[in-house]
Amino acid sequence: MKIWYDLPLVRSLFNRGDRNDWEVRSADPGYAEYLDDHPDPGRIPEQTVPVFAYAGVRHTARVDLATLVAAHRSASSGAGRFRAQAFDYATLPALLGKQPADGALNAGARPGEGAGAAPASAAPYDRIICCEGWRARFNPYFAYLPHGGMKGDVLLVRTTAPPLERMFKHRIFLVPQSDGTYWVGATSDNRFADDAPSPANYQFLSDRLEELLTVPYTIIGHRAAVRPTVRDRRLLLGSHPSWPELLIFNGLGTKGASLAPLASRWLADYLLAGAPLPAEVDIQRFAP
Ligand SMILES: Cc1cc2nc3c(=O)[nH]c(=O)nc-3n(C[C@H](O)[C@H](O)[C@H](O)COP(=O)(O)OP(=O)(O)OC[C@H]3O[C@@H](n4cnc5c(N)ncnc54)[C@H](O)[C@@H]3O)c2cc1C
């Protein structure tokens, strides 16, 4: 099973201004190792419209998250540590050995207020960590946090041309998949009614694709999901202000794949070693 694909990233520079901005950035010693002013664009010029110039980013990779998540699920299910079912928030107090609190199902309410807690020995679980992505807004215990949400649609595309063998960022991204198709996207909508693929975003992406590719292609799929953004663009980690056994792991936003390992380490150290969470990601920064 392969999960990690080293893949160079090439991006379009559309004009002299873009190139100046790029050169200023690549002269910064902190970026020099990562930014490449003269990347090898491979087959990109043969298969896409001409551009003013190309720039590159080094040390880039694609992580096949679908395969990674499926493998974890399968290993955890086999070990009896994973169950796929909707979580009913009404069951939460009992799972932590608490009494349901009056008003706890209203946004901003503090569970435990005005209701005595049951003895700890009655609790089937020591801790519950909520990690529902953008649906955290429906979690009555954490609805007081400033959850945002940014929907993104992508197209799956097959071409008849030889593979590009690099990720390409033009006005949209082309990301080669292991089966020879491309992931093309993505859109960003702050206002959305659901997480279903939207016809308007399909049209937007297919128009961009038509402007970009000079080889025949077929759109073979269309998907959408919502990025769990937060208004201050920081993670949401930590304990509920009234019930320390109830935690949240959220706010991964547009960078969940990159941030999740570090965020997990912070939360594990907090839970297992009592280490403080960095203040900028701790939900204590928000009053309930
Ligand atoms: C188009 C697009 C492109 C992206 N590109 C990148 C990228 O290039 N790099 C990057 O790092 N990140 C990227 N992201 C962001 C990344 O996908 C997210 O940050 C990440 O998925 C968030 O992980 P999460 O586990 O918090 O939420 P999710 O992945 O949304 O998972 C939450 C899970 O909780 C489940 N759930 C919710 N409520 C309940 C309930 N009541 N009971 C049971 N289950 C429930 C949901 O079904 C879901 O399975 C992208 C996102 C999108 C949409």
Side-chain angles (χ1 to χ4, degrees):
M1 176 179 28
K2 190 166 172 186
I3 289 168
W4 183 275
Y5 295 83
D6 287 308
L7 271 186
L9 170 60
V10 174
R11 57 170 303 163
S12 297
L13 300 179
F14 294 101
N15 49 48
R16 217 172 284 280
D18 280 356
R19 186 154 68 187
N20 288 346
D21 291 347
W22 183 269
E23 285 172 356
V24 168
R25 183 59 66 87
S26 63
D28 182 325
Y31 287 92
E33 189 190 338
Y34 296 95
L35 303 189
D36 183 356
D37 294 346
H38 301 288
D40 170 9
R43 300 187 180 107
I44 289 173
E46 297 157 24
Q47 300 187 19
T48 63
V49 291
V51 289
F52 178 78
Y54 296 108
V57 183
R58 301 190 190 96
H59 310 301
T60 50
R62 181 176 76 84
V63 177
D64 185 343
L65 278 183
T67 300
L68 180 64
V69 170
H72 268 294
R73 277 190 181 197
S74 152
S76 302
S77 304
R81 295 196 309 266
F82 178 79
R83 247 184 295 158
Q85 66 180 59
F87 183 76
D88 177 0
Y89 296 108
T91 64
L92 194 147
L95 296 174
L96 288 174
K98 308 279 189 191
Q99 300 293 327
D102 286 343
L105 294 183
N106 297 323
R110 288 166 169 262
E113 266 178 5
S121 59
Y125 294 94
D126 296 333
R127 305 261 196 320
I128 292 178
I129 304 173
C130 299
C131 47
E132 309 99 318
W134 73 280
R135 289 191 179 84
R137 65 178 64 183
F138 305 123
N139 180 331
Y141 298 90
F142 290 111
Y144 71 91
L145 294 170
H147 302 291
M150 194 193 284
K151 181 171 165 179
D153 288 47
V154 296
L155 300 180
L156 302 175
V157 170
R158 188 182 295 285
T159 76
T160 49
L164 293 180
E165 292 168 339
R166 59 247 313 129
M167 297 183 279
F168 181 40
K169 177 158 178 12
H170 189 75
R171 292 200 163 84
I172 47 174
F173 250 113
L174 293 184
V175 182
Q177 306 294 297
S178 46
D179 62 359
T181 61
Y182 294 89
W183 186 93
V184 177
T187 55
S188 295
D189 287 332
N190 289 321
R191 304 176 72 168
F192 53 90
D194 54 41
D195 58 0
S198 112
N201 288 335
Y202 179 98
Q203 194 58 50
F204 173 84
L205 290 171
S206 54
D207 287 350
R208 299 292 82 71
L209 197 57
E210 186 62 24
E211 289 165 4
L212 175 62
L213 285 181
T214 56
V215 292
Y217 63 89
T218 317
I219 297 173
I220 56 172
H222 176 201
R223 293 193 193 146
V226 178
R227 306 164 181 97
T229 52
V230 184
R231 267 173 245 144
D232 70 356
R233 295 168 178 248
R234 293 286 178 272
L235 293 163
L236 294 174
L237 302 181
S239 295
H240 189 277
S242 300
W243 288 354
E245 311 89 329
L246 178 61
L247 296 108
I248 187 165
F249 182 97
N250 208 300
L252 294 156
T254 60
K255 300 273 184 299
S258 336
L259 290 173
L262 177 62
S264 309
R265 167 56 56 200
W266 282 336
L267 199 65
D269 289 346
Y270 170 73
L271 283 172
L272 302 176
L277 288 165
E280 59 185 338
V281 300
D282 191 330
I283 57 167
Q284 280 186 26
R285 68 193 189 277
F286 300 113

